[in-house]
Amino acid sequence: PSGVIFYHSPLADTPDTVNPYEVVTLVTSITDTLHTDSLEVRYQVDGGAFNTVSMTATGQPDQYHGFIPAQGVGAEVSYYLYGEDDEGPGTLPQTAPGSTFSFLVGFSAIFFDDMEGGENGWTHYEVAEQDDWMLGSPGPNFYDPSSAYSGSNIWGNDLAPDGWNGDYKPNVHNYIQSQAIDCTGYSGVRLRYMRWLTVEDAVYDQATIYVNGTQVWQNGAGADHIDTSWTVHDIDISALADDNPSVVVEFHLESDGGVEFGGWNFDDFKLLGTTSATPQDTIAVTLDANPSSGALPFSTQFTASLTNLLDGETRRAAGRIDIVTGGGATYDNWRAGWTDLNGGAEFV
């Protein structure tokens, strides 16, 4: 119904709780009547009401941007793009607001695997009948994706190479297991990955996720689970993973003797968490002037170290030395220029 066409790379999870999040898009209209004053980023925080941010031209051809305000640690931001031409409104994703892009704020990546670097510690097992876990590009199958979410490779049940049909088999139980992931020092740990799962009603077939042997998710009963696009699946696993030096994730599939579908497909697997550090408007510094006194003329130095910063966060810092006479009167002072520092950095 609309000729509005967006090209956009979705925002990734970020540790930044200070700066706004820039959303950049190329946008055109096949009718050449794009209403540029209609371009918006529509966003919500933690499932709340949608807010609107206008998009403006960047100065590059057909490129526009808008800024989602900075959010606090743990916020989940969902957003989509909106615009109009003479034919009507258009969005990206096209089914928005039913589907959106999303990212987490204040979280650092503990572990990430986009499946492009080989097996990377994943192992898979047959419990009954068949182990059909495969790493590679998905093949032709009605219930499975036609391509990876990113890059070329995914992990999945029966990726339909030559001699395979793409569907899991009856009466199977198999699973794939991650390497042990060190989450020491992290809290609020979440499992977040891209999912394309098609499986029968859980009364008959079960797709489950386990963390260190504890089930954290299963497909629902009462209807078949049929993903028709890549979907972000986010699971809070903090009770099992926080400050844990060995976290193992497993994807299981069990089927009965009846209907079969495409099974598991997953890509861009990650564990995210926050450190104990929290951002503060005022950053404490420790000073160690050496020597701290002497008869003029003398020279001294101080070292300042920033604390309480999130991973990847940068703050500006400056320092000053006050020179005081032996009688306690102010003699003079000297100030250091502003310096950009990240967590643990020092300047002298």
Side-chain angles (χ1 to χ4, degrees):
S2 171
V4 180
I5 302 171
F6 293 97
Y7 301 88
H8 170 63
S9 296
L11 298 186
D13 302 321
T14 175
D16 190 352
T17 61
V18 177
N19 301 297
Y21 315 112
E22 183 183 21
V23 179
V24 180
T25 183
L26 292 175
V27 57
T28 60
S29 170
I30 61 175
T31 66
D32 293 327
T33 55
L34 179 67
H35 302 170
T36 58
D37 59 352
S38 71
L39 296 176
E40 297 174 341
V41 181
R42 297 181 175 180
Y43 73 94
Q44 62 180 170
V45 179
D46 295 332
F50 277 97
N51 302 283
T52 298
V53 174
S54 296
M55 304 192 80
T56 58
T58 66
Q60 299 297 317
D62 299 325
Q63 188 181 77
Y64 295 81
H65 64 170
F67 293 85
I68 298 173
Q71 304 295 325
V73 172
E76 181 174 6
V77 180
S78 302
Y79 71 97
Y80 67 95
L81 308 182
Y82 177 90
E84 299 176 2
D85 62 10
D86 282 352
E87 295 184 359
T91 63
L92 188 73
Q94 291 183 346
T95 55
S99 59
T100 59
F101 304 113
S102 68
F103 62 94
L104 296 174
V105 175
F107 284 78
S108 301
I110 304 168
F111 177 86
F112 176 71
D113 187 5
D114 62 3
M115 317 307 168
E116 302 304 312
E119 295 194 356
N120 197 20
W122 292 94
T123 52
H124 42 98
Y125 304 90
E126 173 187 321
V127 179
E129 291 296 328
Q130 182 186 53
D131 171 14
D132 62 354
W133 283 97
M134 301 178 184
L135 174 67
S137 299
N141 181 38
F142 178 79
Y143 292 110
D144 288 334
S146 59
S147 62
Y149 174 74
S150 69
S152 301
N153 294 332
I154 65 173
W155 276 108
N157 293 116
D158 191 342
L159 297 182
D162 289 343
W164 297 71
N165 69 358
D167 293 338
Y168 57 83
K169 299 298 185 287
N171 301 311
V172 301
H173 180 191
N174 52 53
Y175 67 98
I176 188 169
Q177 182 182 80
S178 74
Q179 61 179 275
I181 300 167
D182 186 359
C183 296
T184 302
Y186 288 93
S187 60
V189 177
R190 307 186 74 88
L191 163 61
R192 190 173 175 89
Y193 70 100
M194 299 307 300
R195 183 194 72 201
W196 192 311
L197 171 66
T198 56
V199 65
E200 194 180 10
D201 180 336
V203 173
Y204 309 105
D205 296 349
Q206 299 82 44
T208 50
I209 300 175
Y210 289 82
V211 174
N212 287 0
T214 298
Q215 182 177 304
V216 296
W217 186 84
Q218 181 178 289
N219 61 304
D224 298 337
H225 182 113
I226 307 295
D227 288 336
T228 57
S229 63
W230 284 109
T231 302
V232 177
H233 192 185
D234 182 275
I235 305 172
D236 182 350
I237 61 171
S238 57
L240 300 166
D242 280 7
D243 204 32
N244 189 332
S246 182
V247 177
V248 176
V249 180
E250 296 175 356
F251 294 82
H252 285 243
L253 179 68
E254 298 182 63
S255 66
D256 66 1
V259 177
E260 292 83 40
F261 293 108
W264 280 109
N265 301 278
F266 69 91
D267 201 355
D268 285 10
F269 173 97
K270 66 182 77 171
L271 293 190
L272 301 163
T274 63
T275 63
S276 58
T278 56
Q280 299 179 3
D281 291 335
T282 301
I283 302 298
V285 297
T286 57
L287 300 178
D288 181 15
N290 182 27
S292 60
S293 64
L296 291 177
F298 80 102
S299 62
T300 188
Q301 72 179 31
F302 68 90
T303 301
S305 177
L306 293 188
T307 60
N308 298 322
L309 296 185
L310 292 173
D311 290 347
E313 185 181 5
T314 299
R315 292 292 179 104
R316 306 198 71 203
R320 189 180 75 181
I321 291 180
D322 290 318
I323 304 173
V324 181
T325 68
T330 298
Y331 177 80
D332 201 354
N333 61 60
W334 174 82
R335 184 183 178 94
W338 288 101
T339 304
D340 291 334
L341 298 176
N342 53 35
E346 295 182 348
F347 72 93
V348 176

